[in-house]
Amino acid sequence: MLVIPGTTTQILSVKVARSLNCTLIQTTVKKFPDGEIYVKINGDLSNEQVVLIQTISPPQDEHLLELFLLIEAITNLKPKELIVVLPYFAYGRQDKRFLKGEALSSKIIAEIIEQIGGTTLSRVYTFDIHSPRILKFFKNARAESLSALPLFADYFREKDVKDIIVLAPDEGALDRAKFLAKELNATFSHLEKSRDRVTGEITVKVKNLSVSGKSVIIIDDIISTGGTMIKAIEIIKSQGGKDIYVACTHPLLIKDAKYRIFNAGAREIVGTDSIPSECSQISLATEIARVLRQK
Ligand code: R5P
């Protein structure tokens, strides 16, 4: 097995390759003076099983195009099989047409990946995809969303956080909170968040959460602007919550989100390296390696 890193996942790819004891193939990714991307694979892939790891972190469109070019360059070198690992599947929140006339972004991305990968593309892995519906947009390759939740459970167990309640930001995300709570022998509940489809503005309804004196973990798939977490922290604090841990698989943390979340009262922001940042305490490498080992 050969591992090819995209520019967004170099360290993660080294960790995966090390863990699998397999070769890391070098690439050249650069920009022409006019801003266009150039991609070259520096190795022989003929008849090999190849794993491409590229997360679609900001700037998403640029990293998507790099992904498409990498898949094209790889398939042209005739490997036996291509497995694509996309730790963060961008555009996942556009998983259906919420308003008439909207583009179905996540479907288009899945279709382009499959179109370029052709019959060489066998599997696509991602983590905690915003909506499982997206996986069905892949028609030929096996697409799977892996869970980072067991890694979060290990993290909080090691920290020895006591008397925990795990909260989901909305009812739709309750399964995530339920799973983590079970692993940590904790209670769980959910907030009631809604988003205006036109303005994007979030409203979080105040309800009794039974957080008084407790350690609170709010778990979400994505933190983008931080708006959801900040509203949740305000409600939790007003109800006497003690230590507030903000956790998510994909810490996009746009602009000053990190500062605003800490300033609102979070004790810690815990994320994974699906989006490499200083809040990426948890690495997905072991889980990626485990799945690749299984075949
Ligand atoms: C939305 O449905 C997602 O699950 C997250 O809750 C959302 O993306 C968080 O966004 P923000 O940090 O901008 O509130």
Side-chain angles (χ1 to χ4, degrees):
M1 183 180 280
L2 303 173
V3 173
I4 301 186
T7 56
T8 56
T9 53
Q10 289 174 329
I11 295 174
L12 178 61
S13 301
V14 172
K15 288 182 183 168
V16 172
R18 254 188 215 153
S19 170
L20 293 169
N21 199 18
C22 65
T23 306
L24 198 68
I25 295 288
Q26 302 304 317
T27 63
T28 305
V29 179
K30 60 182 184 183
K31 276 196 179 167
F32 289 109
D34 57 2
E36 292 177 1
I37 306 175
Y38 168 93
V39 160
K40 180 174 178 289
I41 310 289
N42 302 315
D44 180 14
L45 311 183
S46 156
N47 227 17
E48 298 280 357
Q49 185 183 41
V50 171
V51 179
L52 168 64
I53 310 179
Q54 164 84 333
T55 204
I56 316 175
S57 55
Q60 293 89 330
D61 298 344
E62 188 174 321
H63 292 150
L64 262 177
L65 185 61
E66 183 190 319
L67 169 75
F68 298 152
L69 298 184
L70 283 166
I71 296 175
E72 200 279 336
I74 291 168
T75 50
N76 185 251
L77 292 172
K78 305 266 182 290
K80 184 170 67 190
E81 179 188 3
L82 171 62
I83 300 166
V84 173
V85 181
L86 308 168
Y88 175 56
F89 196 107
Y91 286 98
R93 285 165 290 181
Q94 209 60 44
D95 60 317
K96 61 179 178 189
R97 293 184 216 277
F98 297 96
L99 301 174
K100 192 177 168 203
E102 285 180 345
L104 193 40
S105 321
S106 51
K107 179 168 179 269
I108 294 303
I109 291 170
E111 286 177 357
I112 297 175
I113 292 173
E114 280 208 318
Q115 172 74 33
I116 308 171
T119 50
T120 313
L121 179 70
S122 61
R123 283 178 273 165
V124 176
Y125 292 113
T126 186
F127 277 85
D128 295 322
I129 198 156
H130 184 68
S131 161
R133 190 178 297 126
I134 299 164
L135 302 172
K136 297 215 169 68
F137 295 146
F138 289 91
K139 297 293 176 213
N140 302 312
R142 197 174 94 208
E144 201 178 318
S145 175
L146 307 171
S147 173
L149 287 175
L151 302 172
F152 280 97
D154 290 344
Y155 181 85
F156 286 108
R157 262 194 296 263
E158 261 168 44
K159 268 200 128 45
D160 204 18
V161 182
K162 298 239 165 31
D163 198 15
I164 304 172
I165 176 164
V166 183
L167 295 181
D170 56 38
E171 202 175 354
L174 190 59
D175 279 353
R176 211 172 279 137
K178 202 168 164 181
F179 179 92
L180 190 57
K182 193 164 173 234
E183 289 287 309
L184 296 171
N185 204 13
T187 55
F188 63 92
S189 185
H190 67 88
L191 292 133
E192 273 168 30
K193 178 182 89 168
S194 57
R195 191 183 287 273
D196 185 302
R197 286 285 163 211
V198 178
T199 63
E201 204 178 318
I202 307 161
T203 315
V204 182
K205 241 207 232 156
V206 180
K207 68 173 217 188
N208 184 11
L209 293 165
S210 310
V211 291
S212 180
K214 286 191 169 262
S215 301
V216 183
I217 301 172
I218 322 168
I219 181 87
D220 208 348
D221 57 342
I222 301 167
I223 300 177
S224 178
T225 64
T228 303
M229 287 299 184
I230 291 165
K231 290 228 162 81
I233 291 169
E234 284 164 2
I235 295 172
I236 292 161
K237 272 176 46 185
S238 73
Q239 296 186 16
K242 203 176 60 169
D243 296 327
I244 305 173
Y245 296 86
V246 161
C248 74
T249 306
H250 310 297
L252 290 171
L253 297 167
I254 302 306
K255 292 188 186 153
D256 58 353
K258 200 168 43 190
Y259 160 74
R260 289 170 43 250
I261 292 170
F262 274 118
N263 199 34
R267 182 184 173 119
E268 200 180 324
I269 304 174
V270 188
T272 79
D273 52 1
S274 81
I275 309 286
S277 85
E278 59 180 291
C279 298
S280 303
Q281 295 94 319
I282 296 173
S283 179
L284 300 175
T286 48
E287 186 56 14
I288 295 173
R290 186 191 65 78
V291 166
L292 293 174
R293 223 177 264 121
Q294 269 180 354
K295 287 217 153 190

